[in-house]
Amino acid sequence: MIVRSLGVQNYRNIADGLLEASPAVNVIYGENAQGKTNLLEALWLFTGGRSFRGAKDAELVRLGQQRALASLCFYSGEREQEAEISVQNGRRAAKLNGVEKKSPSGLIGSFCAVLFCPEHLRLVKDGPALRRSFLDSAICQCRPSYAGVFSRYQQSLLQRNSLLKDIPYHAELLDTLDVWDERLAGYGGRIIRERRAYVERIRETAVAAYAGISRSREKLAFEYQCSAGGGTAGNEQQALLEALRAARREDVAAGHTSAGPHRDDLSIEINGLSARSFGSQGQQRSIVLALKLAEAAGLAEACGEPPVVLLDDVLSELDASRQDYLLNHLSGGQVFMTCCEPEAAGRMENGALFHVEGGRLERVS
Ligand code: ATP
Ligand code: MG
């Protein structure tokens, strides 16, 4: 996957910008709050996902303007493709090669990228939500149908939770819970199955990457952890259904659903000890790096070519040896990285250097 150019109009603080990319490394530098992350965010939207900052679509439009537009010209294999994303009236719309998609998520699987930003460095230390979202975001790009299943699960969960809250006042609603349990178990079982399979797929690469980064004999191990009702491979749906039924009384009392993939986690250990509780900051960073490299390798395998790698401000957070390891093990994909000083990008043999100031983008070399 190689980006040829990214054009943006009225996107965040960028009135009009065109980035003609190098197929190797593209360094975007500038002072704080000038528009560097905005450019990476615009690129990321072409994966079909939402803003990685959790922004509402309306916030993407330049203040005082009606419509933001981003266009991407990229190569997937030998094929040149053109995608377009517009944001208007708080709604994102997407086109691929001139054909309008039903929703922006219709782009999933066409343009693949891996994002690494400072927030990801908290992946090990933080609560399980960040680890679940690491798995979900990675799986979505490898298996585009996952996004639909995931969003239907979320909708069903909301419906079941609101039903649980109503039941104490309307006992007759208890009977309708069966339908929601079945629905939740159907989607939830598939999510558990996909997440488990993904963890298996990236394990070997992540373990090897950790050994390379830490240059030690420490053993990284990780496992998908089901909150309840994961069952064994192949019977996730039935096991989740049974867990939902078993927890029914407590769920009605609590007013929310206690079992299911929305409560699961990825447990991570170093030499048999929880990396979250016992890992040093350095060990935790190395694990994140190893997981991100495994994500890139997994995506390369799924797409049949390396994904575009987006490194937002992350190099300055890593020491020299981790920087080197990261840059040398990105499976040969095109890289876009942001930093405040161009020197922070390290040694760049071939590539392009861009400067951003006040939303204006200029190629420096
Ligand atoms: P840092 O080095 O601090 O990460 P950055 O160069 O990555 O900075 P960005 O996050 O890309 O900065 O850009 C932030 C700038 O964009 C801020 O000045 C912010 O006010 C501006 N901005 C964000 N959204 C909009 C918008 N919708 N309209 C206009 N300006 C916006
Ligand atoms: Mg930034």
Side-chain angles (χ1 to χ4, degrees):
M1 204 100 3
I2 300 283
V3 170
R4 244 190 61 186
S5 66
L6 168 74
V8 285
Q9 273 114 41
N10 293 328
Y11 184 86
R12 298 266 196 194
N13 71 335
I14 308 167
D16 192 11
L18 177 67
L19 189 154
E20 291 186 306
S22 151
V25 180
N26 296 273
V27 177
I28 302 164
Y29 78 98
E31 294 187 0
N32 295 134
Q34 301 304 311
K36 304 180 299 291
T37 302
N38 293 345
L39 282 164
L40 292 199
E41 181 187 41
L43 269 175
W44 174 257
L45 292 181
F46 287 96
T47 62
R50 308 179 137 270
S51 157
F52 53 74
R53 293 157 149 177
K56 296 196 182 88
D57 288 342
E59 293 165 11
L60 306 176
V61 181
R62 191 166 182 240
L63 293 173
Q65 300 294 320
Q66 301 294 315
R67 182 171 187 254
L69 187 69
S71 29
L72 186 76
C73 180
F74 66 102
Y75 285 103
S76 172
E78 296 288 291
R79 203 168 150 223
E80 187 172 348
Q81 310 219 52
E82 282 189 9
E84 197 181 279
I85 291 178
S86 60
V87 190
Q88 196 165 13
N89 300 326
R91 243 196 93 243
R92 238 174 339 133
K95 278 187 193 168
L96 183 64
N97 301 318
V99 179
E100 180 108 27
K101 293 281 176 188
K102 250 195 333 211
S103 87
S105 63
L107 290 178
I108 296 178
S110 304
F111 175 71
C112 297
V114 171
L115 170 77
F116 193 4
C117 60
E119 183 187 300
H120 293 142
L121 292 167
R122 304 201 314 261
L123 193 77
V124 176
K125 208 168 23 179
D126 265 27
L130 204 57
R131 290 183 288 280
R132 287 194 296 266
S133 112
F134 162 72
L135 295 174
D136 294 330
S137 155
I139 300 169
C140 269
Q141 289 197 68
C142 294
R143 293 175 71 92
S145 62
Y146 184 79
V149 176
F150 187 75
S151 103
R152 284 191 283 279
Y153 178 79
Q154 298 289 354
Q155 285 160 11
S156 307
L157 183 62
L158 283 176
Q159 303 268 20
R160 186 179 191 267
N161 285 346
S162 87
L163 188 60
L164 289 169
K165 289 191 181 77
D166 287 344
I167 286 173
Y169 308 100
H170 304 278
E172 72 280 7
L173 291 174
L174 196 60
D175 290 343
T176 58
L177 212 47
D178 280 338
V179 178
W180 291 107
D181 287 0
E182 298 254 349
R183 205 166 287 182
L184 212 58
Y187 299 133
R190 168 113 187 256
I191 291 174
I192 295 170
R193 194 160 63 244
E194 294 277 5
R195 285 180 182 171
R196 275 179 171 159
Y198 183 75
V199 166
E200 294 310 314
R201 264 207 316 279
I202 62 165
R203 175 168 288 121
E204 202 181 320
T205 319
V207 168
Y210 183 81
I213 298 161
S214 65
R215 285 187 249 136
S216 72
R217 286 167 174 272
E218 290 168 359
K219 180 105 179 72
L220 169 69
F222 51 91
E223 212 59 65
Y224 185 68
Q225 222 170 33
C226 277
S227 54
T232 49
N235 84 336
E236 294 85 356
Q237 178 173 348
Q238 187 57 33
L240 181 54
L241 185 61
E242 282 162 22
L244 288 169
R245 285 179 179 154
R248 190 172 271 197
R249 189 194 292 261
E250 295 85 64
D251 284 1
V252 170
H256 62 77
T257 304
S258 57
H262 62 290
R263 305 295 288 268
D264 292 356
D265 199 355
L266 179 70
S267 74
I268 305 173
E269 292 182 347
I270 294 287
N271 290 344
L273 286 177
S274 155
R276 189 180 176 199
S277 313
F278 296 99
S280 73
Q281 199 186 54
Q283 284 173 320
Q284 293 181 346
R285 288 186 164 214
S286 298
I287 294 170
V288 177
L289 213 55
L291 288 172
K292 279 280 152 188
L293 285 167
E295 180 190 350
L299 197 48
E301 199 181 301
C303 308
E305 59 185 317
V308 169
V309 178
L310 309 176
L311 304 176
D312 190 20
D313 243 345
V314 83
L315 282 196
S316 56
E317 299 278 340
L318 302 173
D319 59 27
S321 77
R322 288 196 184 91
Q323 284 185 13
D324 278 351
Y325 194 92
L326 177 64
L327 293 175
N328 291 325
H329 289 80
L330 282 169
S331 43
Q334 185 185 29
V335 176
F336 290 82
M337 64 167 87
T338 67
C339 48
C340 288
E341 302 293 336
E343 298 77 45
R347 293 170 299 286
M348 201 179 55
E349 272 133 37
N350 48 1
L353 188 62
F354 300 88
H355 181 236
V356 184
E357 192 176 346
R360 278 181 304 280
L361 177 72
E362 184 191 13
R363 184 162 179 166
V364 178
S365 66

